[in-house]
Amino acid sequence: MNEAPIGPVDSSRVPRFAGPATFARLPRLDQVGTADVAVVGVPFDGGVSYRPGARFGPSAVREASRLLRPYHPGLDVSPFERVQVADAGDIAANPFDIGAAIEDIEAAASGIDARLVTIGGDHTIALPLLRAVARRHGPVALLHFDAHLDTWDTYFGAEYTHGTPFRRAVEEGVLDTEALSHVGIRGPLYGRRDLEEDRRLGFGVVTAADVLRRGVDEVTDALRQRIGDRPLYVSVDIDVLDPAHAPGTGTPEAGGLTSRELLEILRGLAGCRLVGADVVEVAPAYDHAEITSVAASHVAYDLVSLLALQEKP
């Protein structure tokens, strides 16, 4: 793109609480034509196993993102000046058929010619998003932030739920099994076999307690070594955060990361070959004072900023 990027609405002219709630008050994709980075919503929660409501996540995160500002001091980048970032709206997915929804999401994501930061929706959506990314980049490294493994085989006989996307992704060959990591894992499991099967799939685990004891810098260095120079996809389930920082989610677990820890680990990924990302499982019906959606909006902003850093201005 030869022209200067079109940025957010100027908050000194239009108050932040006024006007359409696109992500960070950015232009819509149809207003700019093409973009380097696109933020897209997937309001689908047909794969949840406990509390529903993540279908309302994209709208809540966009609303909370009104307060984001254009310069990121932690990464020393003005992402909306460096590259064209746009809001690509929502992907319409069949709310009554998980298989059809997965196909809808994969097709729509594949049709957007930009690096995507996707706002869910439940974690089922990660599978079609990974398929779309792998079609362009081949098998990718995965950095998965979550309280849960999401590598179970089936749930009530169903192979496609928010607890199974990464097992399916490994089986389909869209992930590089030499560079798979979970961060923030905690809470009770069905048995030791859960961890054993996860390990056989190729995942390394950094628990929430590991982050506490080892610290953000040491954890980030270890993750970067595992990722190497591979194309990287980052998937953030907001329940990686402690319920004190993210009450508005479907399957909360005590003892999680702080929002500060999560954001600092993400910022430590600067220079990695990030090719796509998602932020999922924001369920605003269980939120208080937008705590969860504000946290998710900042996570998405950091991911957009990391992608902007990779592009030449």
Side-chain angles (χ1 to χ4, degrees):
M1 299 177 64
N2 296 322
E3 299 180 0
I6 300 173
V9 174
D10 186 346
S11 61
S12 69
R13 296 176 178 271
V14 181
R16 298 180 189 280
F17 47 80
T22 58
F23 183 79
R25 308 179 82 208
L26 286 161
R28 301 190 315 268
L29 183 57
D30 62 350
Q31 292 176 311
V32 296
T34 60
D36 303 294
V37 178
V39 179
V40 63
V42 182
F44 174 82
D45 63 2
V48 300
S49 57
Y50 196 52
R51 301 195 301 199
R55 66 182 62 185
F56 300 109
S59 58
V61 174
R62 286 188 174 104
E63 189 66 32
S65 75
R66 288 177 178 273
L67 197 56
L68 295 173
R69 298 176 180 87
Y71 173 66
H72 192 313
L75 291 171
D76 189 24
V77 65
S78 297
F80 311 137
E81 293 180 8
R82 187 176 177 89
V83 298
Q84 182 63 65
V85 187
D87 190 319
D90 287 343
I91 292 173
N94 189 323
F96 303 109
D97 186 322
I98 293 179
I102 289 172
E103 292 179 1
D104 293 337
I105 297 163
E106 180 182 357
S110 298
I112 300 174
D113 187 18
R115 295 173 187 253
L116 299 183
V117 173
T118 306
I119 303 170
D122 75 52
H123 226 153
T124 310
I125 73 172
L127 177 61
L129 295 172
L130 284 166
R131 289 175 179 172
V133 165
R135 186 174 293 110
R136 297 179 182 178
H137 301 279
V140 296
L142 174 68
L143 184 50
H144 170 221
F145 293 88
D146 204 318
H148 312 98
L149 299 169
D150 288 2
T151 53
W152 285 281
D153 190 12
T154 62
Y155 195 66
F156 281 80
E159 294 183 345
Y160 299 98
T161 76
H162 73 161
T164 66
F166 302 119
R167 179 183 287 256
R168 300 286 91 82
V170 169
E171 292 171 348
E172 294 180 14
V174 298
L175 294 179
D176 184 334
T177 55
E178 297 297 316
L180 308 179
S181 300
H182 303 295
V183 179
I185 301 300
R186 64 191 187 277
L189 297 169
Y190 295 107
R192 184 175 296 172
R193 181 180 176 183
D194 293 344
L195 293 170
E196 294 169 350
E197 291 188 359
D198 186 78
R199 192 177 303 113
R200 282 197 292 270
L201 292 171
F203 281 89
V205 175
V206 178
T207 67
D210 290 332
V211 175
L212 171 67
R213 294 190 176 99
R214 296 168 59 188
V216 165
D217 291 343
E218 182 180 331
V219 166
T220 304
D221 287 344
L223 293 172
R224 290 183 64 103
Q225 290 179 27
R226 190 171 178 88
I227 294 163
D229 192 39
R230 299 172 176 88
L232 170 66
Y233 189 91
V234 173
S235 186
V236 181
D237 185 327
I238 204 65
D239 75 19
V240 71
L241 298 180
D242 189 87
H245 299 269
T249 191
T251 50
E253 303 279 358
L257 274 60
T258 66
S259 52
R260 179 177 58 246
E261 287 170 330
L262 174 57
L263 293 172
E264 285 303 313
I265 293 173
L266 289 175
R267 292 165 191 171
L269 300 176
C272 291
R273 292 177 56 200
L274 186 63
V275 295
D278 63 59
V279 185
V280 299
E281 300 285 357
V282 174
Y286 316 108
D287 206 2
H288 303 283
E290 297 185 304
I291 294 172
T292 311
S293 50
V294 166
S297 72
H298 280 261
V299 170
Y301 177 61
D302 274 30
L303 292 166
V304 167
S305 297
L306 288 170
L307 286 168
L309 279 171
Q310 296 182 155
E311 303 284 350
K312 294 181 179 180

